[in-house]
Short mmCIF file of all heavy atoms in Angstrom, two decimals:
data_model
loop_
_atom_site.label_atom_id
_atom_site.label_comp_id
_atom_site.label_asym_id
_atom_site.label_seq_id
_atom_site.Cartn_x
_atom_site.Cartn_y
_atom_site.Cartn_z
N GLU A 13 -2.94 5.42 0.16
CA GLU A 13 -3.79 4.26 0.54
C GLU A 13 -3.81 4.04 2.06
O GLU A 13 -4.81 3.75 2.68
CB GLU A 13 -3.37 2.98 -0.19
CG GLU A 13 -3.75 2.96 -1.64
CD GLU A 13 -3.04 1.89 -2.42
OE1 GLU A 13 -1.98 1.40 -2.00
OE2 GLU A 13 -3.53 1.53 -3.50
N GLU A 48 -3.17 -0.93 14.30
CA GLU A 48 -4.07 0.16 13.92
C GLU A 48 -5.11 0.37 15.02
O GLU A 48 -5.34 -0.52 15.85
CB GLU A 48 -4.74 -0.14 12.53
CG GLU A 48 -5.41 -1.47 12.45
CD GLU A 48 -5.97 -1.75 11.05
OE1 GLU A 48 -5.41 -1.21 10.03
OE2 GLU A 48 -6.96 -2.44 10.96
N ALA A 74 8.80 2.05 13.14
CA ALA A 74 7.60 2.00 12.24
C ALA A 74 7.20 3.40 11.80
O ALA A 74 7.60 4.43 12.39
CB ALA A 74 6.44 1.31 12.94
N VAL A 130 8.59 14.00 9.93
CA VAL A 130 7.18 14.39 9.93
C VAL A 130 6.76 14.90 8.54
O VAL A 130 7.49 15.68 7.91
CB VAL A 130 6.93 15.51 10.96
CG1 VAL A 130 5.48 16.02 10.89
CG2 VAL A 130 7.25 15.05 12.37
N LEU A 207 -46.34 18.78 13.56
CA LEU A 207 -47.79 18.78 13.33
C LEU A 207 -48.11 18.05 12.02
O LEU A 207 -49.10 17.32 11.91
CB LEU A 207 -48.38 20.18 13.37
CG LEU A 207 -48.26 20.84 14.73
CD1 LEU A 207 -48.68 22.32 14.66
CD2 LEU A 207 -49.11 20.14 15.82
N ARG A 241 -45.91 11.36 18.48
CA ARG A 241 -44.98 10.26 18.53
C ARG A 241 -43.65 10.67 19.15
O ARG A 241 -43.01 9.88 19.83
CB ARG A 241 -44.73 9.70 17.12
CG ARG A 241 -45.81 8.82 16.63
CD ARG A 241 -45.60 8.45 15.17
NE ARG A 241 -44.62 7.35 15.05
CZ ARG A 241 -43.69 7.31 14.11
NH1 ARG A 241 -43.57 8.27 13.25
NH2 ARG A 241 -42.86 6.27 14.02
N LYS A 312 -23.53 24.86 7.06
CA LYS A 312 -23.55 23.99 5.92
C LYS A 312 -25.03 23.64 5.54
O LYS A 312 -25.84 23.53 6.47
CB LYS A 312 -22.85 22.65 6.30
CG LYS A 312 -22.70 21.63 5.21
CD LYS A 312 -21.90 20.45 5.76
CE LYS A 312 -21.61 19.49 4.66
NZ LYS A 312 -20.74 18.39 5.19
N VAL A 313 -25.32 23.47 4.26
CA VAL A 313 -26.62 23.02 3.87
C VAL A 313 -26.43 21.69 3.04
O VAL A 313 -25.50 21.57 2.30
CB VAL A 313 -27.41 24.02 3.02
CG1 VAL A 313 -27.77 25.26 3.83
CG2 VAL A 313 -26.66 24.39 1.76
N LYS A 344 -17.86 26.14 -1.88
CA LYS A 344 -17.41 24.75 -1.84
C LYS A 344 -18.53 23.77 -2.13
O LYS A 344 -18.76 22.80 -1.38
CB LYS A 344 -16.75 24.46 -0.49
CG LYS A 344 -15.47 25.22 -0.26
CD LYS A 344 -14.71 24.61 0.93
CE LYS A 344 -15.20 25.16 2.25
NZ LYS A 344 -14.64 24.51 3.44
N ASP A 353 -31.46 9.98 -6.08
CA ASP A 353 -31.46 11.36 -5.55
C ASP A 353 -30.07 11.97 -5.70
O ASP A 353 -29.10 11.28 -5.85
CB ASP A 353 -31.78 11.30 -4.04
CG ASP A 353 -33.07 10.57 -3.78
OD1 ASP A 353 -33.95 10.56 -4.60
OD2 ASP A 353 -33.20 10.00 -2.64
N GLU A 357 -24.46 19.73 -1.58
CA GLU A 357 -23.98 20.27 -0.31
C GLU A 357 -23.17 21.51 -0.55
O GLU A 357 -22.46 21.65 -1.52
CB GLU A 357 -23.15 19.20 0.41
CG GLU A 357 -23.84 17.84 0.43
CD GLU A 357 -23.21 16.84 1.33
OE1 GLU A 357 -22.31 17.19 2.11
OE2 GLU A 357 -23.59 15.65 1.19
#
Side-chain angles (χ1 to χ4, degrees):
E13 284 165 341
E48 53 184 29
V130 175
L207 294 172
R241 283 173 79 220
K312 182 179 188 175
V313 295
K344 293 195 277 173
D353 306 332
E357 311 188 11

